[in-house]
Amino acid sequence: MVTSPWRMKAAEKWGERARWLSGDGPFALIVPCGEFSFSLWATKDGAEKAKAHLNQTGCGGGCNPLLHHVVDLSE
């Protein structure tokens, strides 16, 4: 199975804590509410739009939108 460099970098950084990972790209949307999860996005705009959606709708039990954030894995 081929794993992208972004998924490998994200897994190194958060893999042991994460319960959920999806997508691919250098921008990670971190959602540490309840169970820690993250999704990878090709663009910062895509990650920010997903974050805004989660902030409005919630991400599940124990959701705190103030904890949602976007990280640039290329830095």
Side-chain angles (χ1 to χ4, degrees), residues 3-71:
T3 303
S4 81
W6 298 120
R7 287 180 74 100
M8 288 172 40
K9 188 168 186 174
E12 287 174 14
K13 193 168 185 126
W14 304 295
E16 289 184 23
R17 295 187 301 163
R19 295 279 299 160
W20 187 69
L21 158 67
S22 71
D24 194 14
F27 297 95
L29 170 56
I30 309 300
V31 183
C33 309
E35 296 181 315
F36 185 93
S37 63
F38 60 94
S39 56
L40 301 178
W41 298 82
T43 65
K44 184 173 184 177
D45 185 55
E48 291 291 348
K49 285 180 181 177
K51 177 180 173 269
H53 177 76
L54 283 179
N55 288 349
Q56 289 180 343
T57 62
C59 63
C63 180
N64 180 351
L66 296 175
L67 297 177
H68 303 163
H69 61 282
V70 174
V71 173

